[in-house]
Amino acid sequence: MTNLEIYQFNCRPDNFGLLVHDPEIGVTASIDTPDGDAINQALEEKGWTLSHILLTHHHYDHVDGNAALKKKWGAVIVGNEADAARLPEIDLTVKCGSPFQFGAHEVRFIDTPGHTIGHVAIHFAEQKLLFTGDALFSLGCGRLFEGSARQMLQSLNTLAALPDETVVYCGHEYTQSNAAFALSVDPENEQLRARANEIDQLRAKGLPTLPTTIGAEKATNPFLRAGDAGIRAVLGMADADDVAVFAEIRQRKDSF
Ligand code: ZN
Ligand code: FE
């Protein structure tokens, strides 16, 4: 197994550009294409050649650079078969759960509907590496534009079932505002308080708060903690089912 090199950089006001590079085979994937110019600049800095574009979902801030990058590099654009009609310039459609090759590596899309119906997370299982787009954020999750709370909770539960040490990269730098909300529903969580302090320090220096890990998110992200007694006590929902608790947390966040 060769190591993959990840390059994370800022794109647009709060998106992340993410390049995944296999130094042995020399292939490079962009996870989504928030800004073609910024991605080209990052490729130039690294001296990498873009071979693949792997898409999480169809929103403009995730596919904006597809056409320009494909034209320049001839990169193969890979996306969820079930949402192919909405993914501009797509070349290769893959079913969720079916493996596809990135260089010598096996990659799978994990079906994560909720933010959009066709949203996927991108999983490099061997490397324990996960790109969650706008499904899971650090201390947050995507807004429910198309799916139901039940769908989103199921999507997040699927991601939370991955090994704790799985390294998670997200589509946006929303962590500091997510932390303020998370503390409002989970104020006694010591690990969350420590993470919030760390986030403030990182942001004060202009540094990113990502990547995170599945284990860290399970301990601190309220959207992965609908079963937590402390959060349920704050919400006054001790005996509600997880979907109802999750929906309440999501609704409170929307108006926070
Ligand atoms: Zn989105
Ligand atoms: Fe987005």
Side-chain angles (χ1 to χ4, degrees), residues 2-245:
T2 56
N3 280 326
L4 292 170
E5 195 180 328
I6 313 298
Y7 185 40
Q8 176 179 257
F9 51 97
N10 296 318
C11 272
R12 311 177 80 92
D14 55 38
N15 283 77
F16 283 116
L18 287 161
L19 296 176
V20 184
H21 178 68
D22 179 340
E24 200 159 303
I25 309 230
V27 290
T28 305
S30 181
I31 307 299
D32 293 334
T33 61
D35 178 340
D37 290 340
I39 291 165
N40 276 325
Q41 197 184 320
L43 288 161
E44 198 175 314
E45 271 169 44
K46 287 290 186 180
W48 295 346
T49 300
L50 189 69
S51 55
H52 296 71
I53 292 169
L54 312 181
L55 299 175
T56 63
H57 67 299
H58 74 284
H59 282 160
Y60 182 73
D61 62 314
H62 297 260
V63 300
D64 187 35
N66 280 16
L69 290 167
K70 181 171 165 176
K71 191 167 176 216
K72 172 160 179 169
W73 299 96
V76 177
I77 303 184
V78 190
N80 179 8
E81 181 180 278
D83 214 15
R86 299 198 292 185
L87 301 173
E89 306 275 339
I90 190 162
D91 298 299
L92 179 62
T93 62
V94 180
K95 280 188 170 60
C96 287
S98 297
F100 61 94
Q101 289 299 122
F102 167 68
H105 303 278
E106 198 173 85
V107 188
R108 281 184 170 82
F109 290 146
I110 301 176
D111 197 17
T112 50
H115 179 67
T116 69
I117 288 299
H119 193 291
V120 297
I122 302 167
H123 190 212
F124 294 70
E126 205 182 347
Q127 285 80 13
K128 295 193 169 71
L129 183 59
L130 183 69
F131 297 92
T132 59
D134 290 358
L136 174 68
F137 297 124
S138 184
L139 306 184
C141 75
R143 280 178 187 264
L144 301 179
F145 286 124
E146 297 180 0
S148 66
R150 182 177 297 276
Q151 278 175 316
M152 184 59 120
L153 179 59
Q154 193 175 349
S155 297
L156 297 180
N157 284 343
T158 303
L159 301 181
L162 296 173
D164 280 355
E165 61 272 30
T166 302
V167 173
V168 178
Y169 287 88
C170 309
H172 292 268
E173 178 60 86
Y174 290 157
T175 317
Q176 196 167 34
S177 56
N178 287 345
F181 171 74
L183 286 166
S184 77
V185 293
D186 197 8
E188 305 299 327
N189 184 335
E190 287 300 330
Q191 210 171 322
L192 173 59
R193 288 168 156 183
R195 171 72 167 143
N197 284 332
E198 181 199 27
I199 289 160
D200 289 343
Q201 284 169 24
L202 288 168
R203 296 311 291 154
K205 293 181 206 150
L207 295 172
T209 63
L210 277 291
T212 180
T213 64
I214 288 294
E217 292 307 311
K218 278 159 64 181
T220 54
N221 186 329
F223 295 96
L224 300 183
R225 297 168 55 75
D228 181 74
I231 293 178
R232 285 163 166 260
V234 168
L235 301 179
M237 298 180 79
D239 300 319
D241 69 23
D242 281 359
V243 175
V245 174

